[in-house]
Amino acid sequence: RRARRAPPLGRAMAVLHPALVFVLLGALLGSAPGLRKFYALLWRPYIAVPVLLFWSTQFYDVVIRPMYFMRTWIAPSWGLEFSEYMMLAPAVSRFNPLQSASAAQTVFTAFELDVFQLARRHELSPSALAKAQNITEGGARVVLEVLAELGLLRKSLSGFSHEWSDAALDLTRRNAAFVRNVELPLVSHLTEAVRTGRAVGLHKAFGSKYKSLYHARTEVPELVAWTDMMNSVSAVAINTIMGRCDRLLSQAKRMLDFCGNEGQNAMTLARNYPGMQITVHDLPAVIENPERGTAARIRDAGLDKQISVFPWDLTTRPFEPPRSDYDLVMLMNCVNEWRREELDRNLRALLGALRPGGTLVIFGSFSSRSRVLATDIYSVWLAAPYFVAATQDGGQLYDYEELEEAASAAGYADVRTEVWEVACIIFMKKPGA
């Protein structure tokens, strides 16, 4: 198709739109007696004219010009009607070529080259970065310019700089490392994974000897990125739970953190609820790792009198809880990795860990049979390829309704689900008391 010519009234529309809004706003403000002076002030030429000119220019640059470009050049070039292109664009923009993967790798490279440390001290030029890290000046400029486009560096004539806090940089590093070291290499095998029902990405990336990603993370250095990301996710989850379930947590004297990873949730709870005794369960290799294992982290935090550990490999034998009088059991971001038979078996075992009237809480990203749970913050189904291709054979994304049914079948009562901004939380009780 031939490209359409620009509409002759394009700039006129850009001016008329804000002018109309300006008039309507003035009319509304002027109708209130107390705001008439303000309305009169707005209409003074030395105020109204600059505002209209600025607004019309911004509206033209931000709305009219991009829309004209898409209608005149982009859509016809790809053989699309403009209306179809506008409906398609939001979806395609999520995986535009040379975007997310390149961004993650560039950020990862920037941390390897200490770019953010160098740019914090003073404005960093490509030549200065090249000299400091013994790289090419052209390569240095690529890294700096990409970071500036991402909004991670501020660009000026004299160089690149930033004012990010250590916490902001740590979050940026964790996200980039996870995408680069975990998501991209593992989810790239999704086609075979959906054909076979096996975690093909896990097996091809790290070998078939690992039963799950959680076994691999104890031996594969690159998977530190997975643990860091899970700790980052858990920080949001546990703070949200504390904010919304304070009464439940305050009443719990004993709690089991099932599949508790490196103990971050348990340590956060221990600091905020000093009367709570907590047991953290995870794989023996995770619990006992001498460098960053759960037991070592708890001991280093000085919380070993309040938090105990319970190593157990769920893939070798059914779980046997260390005691049967927990007030609360928490499952945080671990259920989607289990096959249905594993889910049923673990729910039954955890029922035996609770005292009568005790509560089990399941927190995670789950779908729904009847609702769309995607939000501006998080897309539930975009996480599903990771569970299928990367975690372990049989990984999936559960509907929360199925989890409710499984809980009832396992013997729990008062099962209910709350849908929060970034996850679902399912509450259930052991009958009695």
Side-chain angles (χ1 to χ4, degrees):
R1 298 173 187 164
R2 297 182 61 185
R4 302 178 180 88
R5 292 189 175 185
L9 297 180
R11 289 189 178 273
M13 290 172 59
V15 174
L16 291 174
H17 174 271
L20 179 61
V21 173
F22 194 67
V23 170
L24 292 175
L25 178 64
L28 290 173
L29 292 174
S31 64
L35 295 175
R36 284 176 181 167
K37 289 185 178 180
F38 178 68
Y39 170 62
L41 179 66
L42 286 179
W43 276 105
R44 292 184 179 180
Y46 58 83
I47 294 179
V49 171
V51 168
L52 281 171
L53 289 175
F54 174 78
W55 195 353
S56 63
T57 302
Q58 294 297 308
F59 186 75
Y60 177 79
D61 288 339
V62 174
V63 179
I64 297 296
R65 187 174 180 179
M67 292 283 284
Y68 164 68
F69 181 72
M70 289 184 286
R71 181 183 182 89
T72 305
W73 302 110
I74 296 181
S77 297
W78 291 337
L80 298 171
E81 292 293 338
F82 177 64
S83 58
E84 184 180 27
Y85 171 79
M86 292 301 293
M87 290 187 291
L88 184 66
V92 174
S93 66
R94 304 290 288 272
F95 52 91
N96 272 338
L98 305 178
Q99 296 291 315
S100 57
S102 296
Q105 178 59 63
T106 304
V107 173
F108 187 86
T109 298
F111 280 101
E112 289 188 310
L113 297 175
D114 291 328
V115 169
F116 292 102
Q117 291 301 320
L118 295 170
R120 173 178 283 171
R121 299 173 192 157
H122 49 75
E123 291 189 325
L124 183 65
S125 67
S127 59
L129 175 58
K131 183 178 180 180
Q133 298 297 349
N134 193 27
I135 61 177
T136 66
E137 186 170 341
R141 184 181 180 189
V142 167
V143 173
L144 294 172
E145 293 283 4
V146 171
L147 295 176
E149 282 196 6
L150 293 173
L152 294 174
L153 290 181
R154 182 172 54 246
K155 181 181 179 181
S156 69
L157 289 175
S158 54
F160 299 80
S161 61
H162 74 88
E163 296 178 357
W164 298 113
S165 65
D166 289 339
L169 292 176
D170 194 41
L171 174 62
T172 304
R173 178 193 58 79
R174 291 195 301 265
N175 285 5
F178 181 85
V179 173
R180 189 249 192 192
N181 291 342
V182 181
E183 184 178 359
L184 286 176
L186 274 63
V187 177
S188 63
H189 299 282
L190 179 63
T191 302
E192 189 174 350
V194 298
R195 283 175 176 160
T196 63
R198 300 180 65 246
V200 179
L202 168 69
H203 302 316
K204 288 197 173 183
F206 305 118
S208 58
K209 70 173 183 176
Y210 297 114
K211 299 176 183 177
S212 71
L213 183 63
Y214 314 104
H215 290 83
R217 66 179 162 141
T218 63
E219 299 181 16
V220 179
E222 293 87 349
L223 289 181
V224 169
W226 180 91
T227 303
D228 288 343
M229 173 55 66
M230 288 308 300
N231 285 338
S232 179
V233 171
S234 294
V236 176
I238 198 62
N239 280 287
T240 305
I241 289 174
M242 287 193 303
R244 297 185 175 181
C245 304
D246 179 67
R247 182 177 179 183
L248 174 66
L249 295 170
S250 298
Q251 294 173 348
K253 301 303 180 184
R254 293 190 183 277
M255 192 203 83
L256 171 62
D257 186 5
F258 194 66
C259 297
N261 198 14
E262 292 184 337
Q264 176 164 312
N265 295 331
M267 289 188 285
T268 301
L269 288 172
R271 294 186 182 104
N272 287 273
Y273 301 93
M276 182 188 294
Q277 289 293 316
I278 305 171
T279 304
V280 180
H281 153 264
D282 212 290
L283 289 168
V286 175
I287 296 286
E288 299 161 0
N289 186 299
E291 295 183 1
R292 57 179 294 167
T294 312
R297 287 166 60 91
I298 291 170
R299 184 174 58 253
D300 292 344
L303 296 170
D304 49 323
K305 292 183 178 180
Q306 190 179 352
I307 306 174
S308 60
V309 294
F310 187 67
W312 192 284
D313 190 341
L314 299 174
T315 65
T316 59
R317 52 189 174 135
F319 182 70
E320 298 175 10
R323 53 193 309 144
S324 58
D325 61 348
Y326 288 105
D327 302 297
L328 177 64
V329 174
M330 295 185 66
L331 281 68
M332 302 276 287
N333 296 308
C334 60
V335 171
N336 285 322
E337 290 82 356
W338 300 336
R339 300 184 185 91
R340 177 57 193 264
E341 58 268 24
E342 293 174 303
L343 171 67
D344 294 338
R345 182 170 64 243
N346 291 333
L347 286 177
R348 289 193 298 268
L350 293 172
L351 185 67
L354 288 166
R355 64 165 175 79
T359 302
L360 185 142
V361 173
I362 300 176
F363 181 96
S365 298
F366 308 119
S367 56
S368 172
R369 295 169 181 166
S370 59
R371 303 170 60 182
V372 176
L373 300 184
T375 68
D376 292 337
I377 301 175
Y378 186 70
S379 173
V380 174
W381 276 104
L382 273 180
Y386 158 77
F387 294 118
V388 172
T391 56
Q392 69 181 49
D393 294 349
Q396 60 186 297
L397 183 66
Y398 279 103
D399 295 324
Y400 73 75
E401 295 92 344
E402 182 177 1
L403 296 176
E404 291 176 333
E405 293 164 0
S408 298
Y412 293 88
D414 301 328
V415 182
R416 63 183 179 86
T417 299
E418 293 182 9
V419 179
W420 293 356
E421 289 83 355
V422 295
C424 297
I425 184 164
I426 307 173
F427 302 90
M428 59 198 74
K429 289 184 174 292
K430 181 174 181 176

